[in-house]
Amino acid sequence: MRELIDILREQRHLDSSGYKALLECDDEGVVTYLHEQAREVGDEVFGKGIFVRGLVELTNVCRNDCLYCGIRKSNTAVERYVLTTEQVLQSCQQGYGLGFRTFVLQGGELPRDKAPWLIELVAAIRHYYPDCAITLSLGEWPREVYAALRKAGADRYLLRHESHNAEHYARLHPAEMSLDNRLQCLAWLKELGYQVGTGIMVGSPWQSLNHIVEDIEFIEGFKPEMIGIGPFVPQHDTPLGKCATGSADLTCRLYSIFRLMFPSALIPSTTALNTIAADGRTMGIMAGANVVMPNLSPTAVRANYTLYDGKAISNAEAAEGIAQLNKQLATIGYHINWGRGDFNQRIINS
Ligand code: 5AD
């Protein structure tokens, strides 16, 4: 098994049986070795700096109805909000003052007629923060909208493919959605010059290890700049609310596998991982993740952005917790890197 990991490190590729063996392996020593190798590779590229991205949860309004998601449109228990332009700019201002140089606007899929407002909003952030990266995570839109957002100043786009197996994808999503359209959106984003992130939930209902291998192979071919992986966490008001929570161990193995496949990828240690494991954030980093995304959203709306149960809304996950985050990173020998951290920017010992 260790040779397999050495080959992955050297060749950045395994065949499907190799990936499956790493996901299945129940030898703790081997898993530790996998994490160590990944961490070494990450350190070679990024040193001991961990990038921070300020997350602004723009809206919990969503036209979509994904079966796993707490803000799906048929969940009537959610109090819906859309931040105003002023609120978003205030969040950015607060974040900028703290040192953030990337803002991530994440939210549900707004009605299509909100596109002009989104474009203006991105232009406003670009105007006030010319030195910052703007990342969007706002779901599926027509190509023209992605193009206009890019032109307005957006640099990066996160759109998890969720599952590359069409049948599995269809079980997690309403009939109006399709894997083909999701992949089309990802292709457009790439063509338009975004740095693109994709990924999956680990342990989503009906997901098998073979599905995960399919996801790894899709990501291998797509070559995203960012890879977003977090455990599935049930949300009690959704049809999948009684399903089992995804595994932290498997999530961390995937961070390691992707770090070895893509040494300079941006891989967040996700909030979902930190939700299911008390030390999830540092576990993720020790497995090869190199980004964390503290929450810059106005405190009043945080409780309403509930994709899943138990999401930390306390200061520990918030921007006010920066000193705490630095302390936490220091315990594992890391520190915050305040740079924009564009893909391929080689930052050694920062
Ligand atoms: N558990 C974990 N992650 C979730 N997401 C949505 N719902 C859940 C859930 N119940 C993830 C999806 C989406 C991202 C914004 O949040 O993968 O792409």
Side-chain angles (χ1 to χ4, degrees), residues 28-29 48 89 114 121-122 138 159 186 206 222 256 268 275:
E28 252 181 63
K48 294 289 184 183
L89 290 172
K114 286 280 190 250
L121 179 64
V122 169
L138 301 169
L159 183 68
L186 284 166
W206 309 291
F222 185 71
S256 297
T275 298

Side-chain angles (χ1 to χ4, degrees), residues 69-328:
C69 184
I71 63 168
R72 66 199 303 266
K73 77 169 169 213
S74 41
N75 183 3
T76 51
V78 182
E79 195 185 316
R80 305 285 170 171
Y81 73 88
V82 185
L83 295 183
T84 62
T85 302
E86 291 67 36
Q87 280 177 308
V88 173
L89 290 172
Q90 264 167 25
S91 299
C92 294
Q93 187 181 32
Q94 189 205 357
Y96 193 90
L98 287 162
F100 287 91
R101 293 298 177 267
T102 293
F103 303 120
V104 181
L105 291 191
Q106 187 178 84
E109 298 194 3
L110 284 169
R112 298 265 192 237
D113 63 5
K114 286 280 190 250
W117 174 71
L118 283 175
I119 294 160
E120 262 175 51
L121 179 64
V122 169
I125 301 172
R126 176 48 67 233
H127 172 76
Y128 289 111
Y129 301 99
D131 57 332
C132 292
I134 303 174
T135 304
L136 303 179
S137 176
L138 301 169
E140 295 181 5
W141 291 88
R143 193 183 197 280
E144 316 77 90
V145 176
Y146 286 146
L149 290 165
R150 174 93 183 98
K151 205 165 154 220
D155 306 285
R156 307 178 183 148
Y157 206 104
L158 305 172
L159 183 68
R160 291 187 183 172
H161 66 285
E162 313 293 1
S163 170
H164 196 261
N165 178 282
E167 202 182 309
H168 182 227
Y169 186 94
R171 294 184 87 165
L172 297 175
H173 297 97
E176 311 81 72
M177 291 181 76
S178 72
L179 176 60
D180 282 352
N181 194 55
R182 181 61 58 116
L183 298 180
Q184 176 63 265
C185 287
L186 284 166
W188 285 334
L189 290 163
K190 213 171 205 191
E191 277 165 32
L192 290 164
Y194 284 94
Q195 295 171 49
V196 181
T198 194
I200 58 166
M201 291 178 291
V202 173
S204 58
W206 309 291
Q207 184 187 57
S208 67
L209 290 186
N210 286 335
H211 291 147
I212 300 182
V213 172
E214 283 182 54
D215 292 317
I216 293 174
E217 293 186 324
F218 163 66
I219 291 175
E220 183 163 24
F222 185 71
K223 298 185 179 39
E225 284 79 13
M226 304 169 285
I227 301 167
I229 310 271
F232 165 74
V233 187
Q235 202 284 342
H236 64 277
D237 290 316
T238 65
L240 306 178
K242 292 204 159 54
C243 294
T245 299
S247 143
D249 164 55
L250 208 48
T251 302
C252 289
R253 282 188 209 201
L254 285 166
Y255 292 164
S256 297
I257 291 171
F258 285 120
R259 173 60 61 215
L260 294 174
M261 292 170 74
F262 296 106
S264 47
L266 297 159
I267 304 177
S269 183
T270 52
T271 307
L273 176 61
N274 203 43
T275 298
I276 64 160
D279 53 351
R281 185 186 268 157
T282 48
M283 274 171 59
I285 292 167
M286 291 314 289
N290 68 330
V291 175
V292 296
M293 294 168 59
N295 198 332
L296 291 178
S297 310
T299 325
V301 303
R302 283 184 197 182
N304 294 325
Y305 195 80
T306 46
L307 307 187
Y308 47 79
D309 289 339
K311 189 178 145 220
I313 51 167
S314 66
N315 284 351
E317 186 58 28
E320 303 84 48
I322 285 299
Q324 202 176 324
L325 171 62
N326 246 329
K327 233 184 188 171
Q328 191 185 26

